[in-house]
Amino acid sequence: AGPAATPAPSREAAAADPAAVAARAAEEPLSHVEAFFAARFDPAPDPPLRQFGYDTFRLAAGAASPPPLGLLPDDYLLGRDDELVLAFRGRARQTLTARIGRDGLLLLPDLPPIPAAGRTLRALRADLEARAERELGGSEVFVSVAQVRQIGVLVAGEVVRPGVHALTALSTVLDALSAAGGVRKTGSLRAIRVEGPGGTSRIVDLYAVIAGMPGRPDLALREGERVVVPPLGATVALAGEVTRPGIYELPAGAAGATLASLLEVAGGTLRPAGNRFLTQRTDAQGRRSVGEIGPRDLLRRGDAVRVEPGADVTVNQLRLAGHVVAPLTRASGGRSLRALLADPRLVRPDPYPRLGVVWRVDPATRVRRFLPFDLGRVLRGQADMPLAESDEVLVLGQADIQWLASPPVQRALRGEALGEGPAACPALGQVAVAARASPHRFAHARGAGFPDIGVPPCPQLFLDYPALLPFLLDQTVLLTGEVRLPGLYPIVNDTGLDAVLAAAGGTTDTADLSAVEFAREPVEQGAAIPLARTRLDLTSRNFAAVRLSPRDAVRVPRGFADRDIGPVTLVGEFQRPGVYDIRRGERLSEVIARAGGLTPQAYPYGAVFLRESVRQRQQEGFQRTARELEASLLQVAAGQAVAGARGSPADLGSAITAGRELANAIREARAAGRMVVEANPVVLAARPERDVLLEPGDLIVMPKRPNEVTVVGAVLNPGSLQFVSGWRAADYLRAAGGAQRFADTARAFVVLPNGQSVPAGLSAWQQGGPPIPPGSLVVVPQDPSPYETWGLVRDLTQVLTQVSISSAALAVIGRQMRN
């Protein structure tokens, strides 16, 4: 069996749901009147205006009249078929239920018939109490209504379901209209007629009930009355800034009504004052005429009124934003900066004290401009500035100032604006445009940062105020050299150097204050703009005497120091290996002496000396050789395609593939940066000209004395062999099984322990070469004759030598590090 179906909600439940009613009202098509007024507004109100009051009957439409709850009022008018409950207490003790008969009499035992129909409940109760007192010997009687009679009421006219509807005697005109399904939008809510027997009639204005208008209409229904809803009367529309925008009906029979009375029906305007009432009405020719009226003017049929502010602007307002706890809005009222910042806790920690900005609107031209002020002096109560209406006071943070020297700003100063995406910042675009329009405008600021160290995000302050960035750059001084936070620092005119240095964290311990360089552009700029550069002696630290202006540049140089800018590292067979600081011009023998000399197991002839600058040049050589090899392969392939290859195409393709693999191997080879140096302290003492000058970052690896010689390349059994005194390269080659078939013994070479490379001397006339020292590397390359067949004669011995030297050096370093 499938799941049980969820029962659909009943019509009564759906009708009682306010959300469902609102949804149906929003989806309901516009009536003829609503469509008429929707076309008269430009732009049309959204959502469109609806006729007022008709949704009152949506919830109760079609629902049965509810039973009376609670006590009936004493003025309830009794009628035929009302059922009463009477309780007698005293001499007669009984409870009776009696119904008022068709003749209007109430029949009770021991009492004569009592007329009840047409009397109020209060009058009948008093009559019964008097009769019981008089005729039942002082008994008391209590009267209540047990069941209220039902009456039939005819509802006719512009209602959804006209006809006779059964209601209780307590029902009102609203109950009758609800039982009839409510009033159609073509019917009137202000001229409903209630007609009674004998030609009596009264007019009911429902606006007094649903709109809270003055007056208390008689809504009670009596036996034999009928309710008639006439057609809709004259209507006007109210839109804009009122409490209840809508379409309202004029009072019954009235040709017009004042705007003030209709605004009262609509709940009044949202603003207590300063409103404008724009009306659109039809003239004698049927044209739409737009005008402006006042609250006492009359509105007539078809008029449409839009309520708008006279001037929707904010006056007497100040704003505090930027590096503050929270943006604040204050009334201007003659305030000043000192009064606005009277509580320093409004400012977040680490503000930039040397400059704040007031963003002010010129009252005549409405053009905004920035006015700088010294925030630190204002917070200390030493300076002040009067504030004007609409001023925005911007407080800068240290992070905002450091961003001025960031890579994105430096690129914008060169005229390069960042594109869209996370790095997009409108302020950078403005700087880039200004820098291209006037290349010399930000000349003082272009040397402040490092444009290739990343892309920090744009601070929120410059996202909110893009024009602030060019203004701050115009107000900056450039502080470089031996200061803790070099960069661009915005200032007001005549700021002391001491204040700017304090914002930058002060000078470093290595600063040379006797030769501070100060550069300034002239204030009055004529045809020529000379740059005045002055050297200042500030060893007295009287920084406050140097007064700065925007666009100045201050450079604090470094004092000459004998210590170099980095250490060197000694690894291996030293008495005290480790990291050593060096002075300028220090040599290798001096550092070896500082390390306590060499151990007895040291092998100076195999020392590995690595230098970063040499490594970079070697790596560039590998890349250049790989590119040249690939270019030669392309030339060979092109030449053979034109002239016709002497070999098969498969041989040509295999050779080119092998060449490319060789080029990739060379490109991926890791250079060690090894230099051939003399590391024997005895030799260095005898020949000081071979004592190398050290550079920061040098690495000296002193290995133990080895006892092997390694043979690699095109040999049958490559590997390491035990060192034999007096053996030559040919001896070690024979011990390794001899050369392979395609070995090129003529180009074989030996990498000596000190990093030098010499020919192996394997030719017959060379007699096997010189004796090989321990720790050497014998390299037998492949025969390059396949490439020579196509004219690709390349002597790669030098490159292979460098690769072998790098591999040998890295192997030695690895062994020493493991030890």
Side-chain angles (χ1 to χ4, degrees), residues 333-416:
R335 284 179 181 264
S336 64
L337 274 175
R338 189 184 300 178
L340 182 64
L341 299 172
D343 187 355
R345 289 170 294 186
L346 295 175
V347 180
R348 292 168 54 192
D350 295 326
Y352 178 64
R354 297 284 64 84
L355 187 81
V357 178
V358 176
W359 202 23
R360 177 165 295 174
V361 178
D362 190 311
T365 62
R366 306 302 298 169
V367 175
R368 282 194 178 271
R369 59 194 179 98
F370 292 105
L371 301 177
F373 65 90
D374 192 311
L375 176 65
R377 297 189 63 199
V378 171
L379 293 178
R380 292 193 300 269
Q382 299 174 353
D384 201 3
M385 176 191 295
L387 297 176
E389 178 187 321
S390 300
D391 279 354
E392 295 190 35
V393 180
L394 308 179
V395 178
L396 303 171
Q398 292 288 355
D400 301 326
I401 300 303
Q402 293 173 10
W403 191 73
L404 297 180
S406 66
V409 177
Q410 288 298 305
R411 285 194 285 271
L413 290 173
R414 299 198 303 266
E416 305 171 7

Side-chain angles (χ1 to χ4, degrees), residues 41-59:
F41 286 101
D42 187 20
D46 186 21
L49 299 181
R50 297 288 186 170
Q51 290 177 250
F52 171 73
Y54 292 88
D55 55 354
T56 303
F57 305 99
R58 292 184 187 277
L59 289 175

Side-chain angles (χ1 to χ4, degrees), residues 628-642 652 656 790-792 794:
E628 292 174 354
L629 179 58
E630 290 175 340
S632 299
L633 290 172
L634 293 176
Q635 292 175 2
V636 169
Q640 294 298 323
V642 173
L652 176 62
I656 292 177
W790 293 295
L792 182 61
R794 283 282 179 185

Side-chain angles (χ1 to χ4, degrees), residues 157-293:
E158 297 296 321
V159 293
V160 176
R161 291 188 298 275
V164 178
H165 297 275
L167 304 172
T168 66
L170 292 174
S171 299
T172 64
V173 174
L174 291 177
D175 297 325
L177 293 175
S178 298
V183 181
R184 299 175 184 267
K185 289 190 175 181
T186 54
S188 173
L189 296 181
R190 308 200 69 174
I192 297 175
R193 295 195 314 272
V194 180
E195 300 175 351
T200 60
S201 177
R202 68 181 187 275
I203 300 297
V204 176
D205 185 354
L206 291 185
Y207 273 27
V209 179
I210 60 180
M213 299 273 300
R216 300 185 63 185
D218 184 4
L219 298 178
L221 288 177
R222 299 167 183 84
E223 191 79 32
E225 288 184 334
R226 59 180 179 269
V227 179
V228 180
V229 180
L232 179 66
T235 55
V236 297
L238 295 178
E241 300 190 1
V242 294
T243 303
R244 279 195 305 255
I247 300 170
Y248 295 92
E249 185 180 0
L250 297 180
T258 63
L259 175 61
S261 63
L262 290 173
L263 287 175
E264 184 179 357
V265 177
T269 59
L270 297 180
R271 262 185 207 81
N275 296 294
R276 300 179 63 187
F277 307 101
L278 301 179
T279 181
Q280 186 179 114
R281 52 185 37 155
T282 306
D283 61 11
Q285 288 75 32
R287 298 172 301 184
R288 298 180 185 180
S289 175
V290 179
E292 189 169 341
I293 62 175

Side-chain angles (χ1 to χ4, degrees), residues 87-92 94 128-129 132-133 136-142:
F88 292 91
R89 297 293 182 267
R91 194 183 70 178
Q94 58 181 332
L128 287 173
E129 289 176 353
E133 177 72 22
L136 298 178
S139 296
E140 294 180 327
V141 62
F142 302 94

Side-chain angles (χ1 to χ4, degrees), residues 665-739:
I666 295 174
R667 182 180 289 108
E668 295 175 0
R670 179 185 174 189
R674 182 173 183 179
M675 287 178 55
V676 178
V677 299
E678 180 59 60
N680 193 333
V682 177
V683 177
L684 293 179
R687 303 185 63 180
E689 71 276 5
R690 301 188 63 178
D691 200 356
V692 65
L693 289 173
L694 297 179
E695 292 182 3
D698 287 346
L699 172 64
I700 302 99
V701 180
M702 185 63 65
K704 294 181 179 180
R705 180 177 178 84
N707 194 30
E708 76 279 348
V709 173
T710 302
V711 182
V712 297
V715 296
L716 294 178
N717 186 24
S720 297
L721 302 173
Q722 184 176 3
F723 168 74
V724 178
S725 179
W727 272 27
R728 303 174 186 272
D731 300 322
Y732 288 105
L733 179 59
R734 283 192 300 271

